[in-house]
Amino acid sequence: MEILESIDFIEELILDNLGAIIIVAVIVGTYLYMNKPPPPPPVFNKPNNKINKEAQKPKKTITKNEDGKKVMKIFFGTQTRTAEDFSRIIEKECKKIGIPCEVVDLESYEHEQELHTESFVMFLVATHGEGDPTDNAKEFYLWLTNEERSTDHLNGVPFTVFGLGNKTYEHYNAVARVIDRRMEELGGKRVFERGEGDDDATLEEDFNRWKKDMWPVVCKFFGYELKSTEDDKFVPRFRMVTLNQDSKDINDPFIKIVATPLKPKLSTDNKVIYDMKNPYYAEVLENRELHSSESDRSCRHIEFKLGDEVSYTTGDHLGVFPINDGRLVEQLIKRLGVNGDDMVALIPIDQEGSVIKASFGPMTIRKAFSEHLDITNPVRKSVLRALAESTANEEEKKRLLYLATEEANEEYNKFIKNDFRGVIDLLESFPGLKPSIAHFLEFTPRLPARMYSISSSPHNKNGIVSITSVVVNFTTGNQRAHNGVASTWLSHLKVGDKVPLFVRESHFKLPPSPEQKPVIMVGPGTGLAPFRGFLQELQHRNHPQQQSLLFFGCRSDNVDYIYREELEQYHQSSVLENLVVAFSRKTTQKVYVQNKLLEHKEKVWELLNNGAYFYVCGDGRNMSKAVQQALLSIIKEFGSKDDNSAQQFIDDMSAHGRYLQDVWF
């Protein structure tokens, strides 16, 4: 998955000096992505409801505010909250210009009844995984991409789109491209061209450049005078209240602060649905080391007990909400000079009344720092600008504001991004910073869930799910130690601990059982995780005649050959017909899975000709690309194809669900 933590690619980059090759690959890849048409929408489990095209044609009624002015709706589709943060930036700039606006979570929007009535809509949407919409945008995406919908459904609704993606993924910004295309096909009017941001490089800069060009056009559309939006000062949207027994806020008899009530989604049989906004607290049943004592790394096998309300299928992903290192949390509490036990809440500044709903909390400051704020990952430039306002030291302020400029991209990448400096590191590097706790709670990014490929089948152990996590700890170029938040926390979990998690549907699935098609699996390191679940599933299906071939890779057979006994047992029992292992450190010659693919090219081609499904899981920056190149070589040799037709062969496999990737960066 996109945020599954792994450092295999970092070690290979350092040891093998592949920097120049990667630069060339990125340049070539960028050209191909930018000139490649968007892929078809991903297929989810959805009802096959026929649409009455006559009945669906809506009457055009433009939505306006109480003053009769047109309102801009700013929709966000996000998995890590970045798109939501961007939508708040647009909201702030709208208010500065004077344009009435409203930020809307796509999951809570009544698109069927309301979209055709909007006076202007802006979509800020991320693409997740292999061209998928984010969880909160999935329902809207399915509705919009229904091909039977009337082409005049939107009756000229004005719109614009900005996509958040990652160019190292094959389906770069696929969701934004599809939404942009479908809005136009359904009769919407594109007011400004689609923008695209690359999270692997310059996402913030891409967004800033897009909106700088966007505002003159949108202001003209609304009939407003364009005002400068260059003032990036932090403008708080919330105020903090303290809810200790002796605080004035809790003792005010006329005000009651309450948590925003959670309304969990219900299934058709009225059961609670557990998802990213309403995680299930699962008990840890097992947490064991998979590497030998000779390894300088750690890789954990972790099992969780699921209740009857939570289910998954083989190949799905598990989202886990981690907790920050307790030592860093206490360090942050001391640095900011706050009481970690203070009970606080953030409420909208403009909210009044006798009962006020908190947008954040109520919770202790320690809990907020531990479970909700991202204090260790590289900070965005918007946070640098917010921090700059909290120092009286002019040199520090000047330095922070400079790092936040587009001119300082190279230095920002060197000092912040490549050196993994989080907000806690900046507070140490700039001792003059004294942000208020209220502002700090608001502008610090939220701690996102980490996604892991599930390494089990639900048919193996009823009600139990497992993941396989390599513990991330490495030293940056400036000799700064960095530990992965989620993997480090997971490694310390004890049996009986409770972990907030949720299941996310994946397209990484075995062929339907009746087909019994051959399967070729390529997964070095923790890329083996979903294939362990596949093998458990194949054992459950009991199709001994099904052909299967697994390419696994690790450093050495006595260091990091994870699940070795299980794999050999599956091979001996014919669940796994062929097991091929590549050892990259066993001899002086490094051997990787792509090398083994070429060694067994005749077998690979034979299975492909028999309709094999080809799966790749693991590092998407180097390994998956090298595997595809090896596969192209095999197709060209045995299929007598040139470069273009060999690539088309793989594209056709992908279009028919026979070439599937589950990769991360």
Side-chain angles (χ1 to χ4, degrees), residues 42-69:
V43 178
F44 295 96
N45 294 326
K46 59 181 180 178
N48 184 23
N49 295 329
K50 295 291 184 180
I51 294 177
N52 184 327
K53 294 185 178 181
E54 291 301 319
Q56 69 161 318
K57 291 182 180 178
K59 295 181 179 179
K60 185 69 172 178
T61 305
I62 299 297
T63 300
K64 299 182 179 180
N65 67 359
E66 294 178 354
D67 298 327
K69 297 179 179 179

Side-chain angles (χ1 to χ4, degrees), residues 159-191:
F159 74 93
T160 188
V161 180
F162 182 82
L164 296 80
N166 188 310
K167 283 184 178 176
T168 50
Y169 281 83
E170 181 180 358
H171 302 304
Y172 174 60
N173 265 313
V175 171
R177 296 178 184 186
V178 170
I179 288 178
D180 184 57
R181 171 175 58 81
R182 285 296 290 163
M183 285 293 294
E184 183 177 49
E185 290 174 351
L186 295 179
K189 178 184 177 182
R190 185 182 297 102
V191 172

Side-chain angles (χ1 to χ4, degrees), residues 31-46:
Y31 174 81
L32 293 174
Y33 288 132
M34 296 308 293
N35 290 276
K36 183 177 181 180
V43 178
F44 295 96
N45 294 326
K46 59 181 180 178

Side-chain angles (χ1 to χ4, degrees), residues 206-415:
D206 296 336
F207 175 62
N208 288 334
R209 282 192 292 268
W210 175 79
K211 66 185 180 68
K212 183 178 180 180
D213 294 335
M214 175 271 298
W215 277 126
V217 178
V218 171
C219 284
K220 182 178 180 181
F221 170 82
F222 274 93
Y224 283 81
E225 179 184 353
L226 176 62
K227 298 178 182 178
S228 173
T229 58
E230 295 302 314
D231 181 5
D232 288 316
K233 286 186 177 181
F234 173 71
V235 179
R237 298 173 45 246
F238 302 96
R239 61 185 175 93
M240 189 185 80
V241 294
T242 304
L243 303 176
N244 299 334
Q245 289 300 319
D246 58 347
S247 70
K248 62 180 180 61
D249 296 307
I250 199 171
N251 290 320
D252 188 331
F254 300 105
I255 297 179
K256 181 180 179 182
I257 308 295
V258 298
T260 302
L262 174 67
K263 294 182 179 180
K265 291 182 288 187
L266 300 177
S267 62
T268 53
D269 54 355
N270 218 33
K271 291 183 178 180
V272 173
I273 296 176
Y274 292 95
D275 55 18
M276 186 168 64
K277 294 182 179 179
N278 181 37
Y280 177 82
Y281 281 78
E283 180 183 351
V284 177
L285 296 180
E286 184 179 7
N287 188 350
R288 61 183 169 91
E289 179 61 55
L290 293 175
H291 285 189
S292 75
S293 57
E294 297 182 32
S295 177
D296 58 354
R297 301 180 187 175
S298 175
C299 184
R300 312 295 299 188
H301 171 82
I302 309 171
E303 292 188 356
F304 303 97
K305 173 67 176 175
L306 299 179
D308 295 336
E309 310 93 330
V310 183
S311 62
Y312 72 96
T313 58
T314 307
D316 280 345
H317 302 132
L318 197 70
V320 176
F321 285 98
I323 294 177
N324 285 312
D325 187 328
R327 292 170 298 179
L328 295 180
V329 169
E330 295 306 316
Q331 177 184 331
L332 184 58
I333 289 173
K334 182 179 179 180
R335 171 64 177 80
L336 293 176
V338 295
N339 183 349
D341 296 323
D342 278 352
M343 183 74 69
V344 299
L346 294 183
I347 61 176
I349 288 176
D350 56 359
Q351 192 176 109
E352 298 177 354
S354 58
V355 178
I356 299 178
K357 294 180 181 179
S359 297
F360 182 88
M363 68 180 70
T364 66
I365 290 177
R366 179 173 288 104
K367 182 180 177 68
F369 288 179
S370 298
E371 302 178 21
H372 295 274
L373 299 188
D374 189 348
I375 61 176
T376 61
N377 277 321
V379 297
R380 293 200 292 266
K381 292 186 176 183
S382 58
V383 176
L384 294 178
R385 288 188 286 267
L387 283 170
E389 297 175 33
S390 69
T391 179
N393 185 313
E394 287 301 318
E395 288 301 314
E396 288 187 352
K397 183 173 185 177
K398 183 178 179 181
R399 168 72 170 160
L400 289 167
L401 290 176
Y402 172 70
L403 286 171
T405 63
E406 189 170 346
E407 293 75 21
N409 282 348
E410 184 176 344
E411 194 165 348
Y412 168 83
N413 289 336
K414 181 180 179 181
F415 182 70

Side-chain angles (χ1 to χ4, degrees), residues 468-488:
T468 307
S469 169
V470 65
V471 181
V472 175
N473 44 60
F474 58 90
T475 302
T476 69
N478 286 330
Q479 301 305 304
R480 297 182 65 257
H482 180 83
N483 296 320
V485 174
S487 64
T488 302

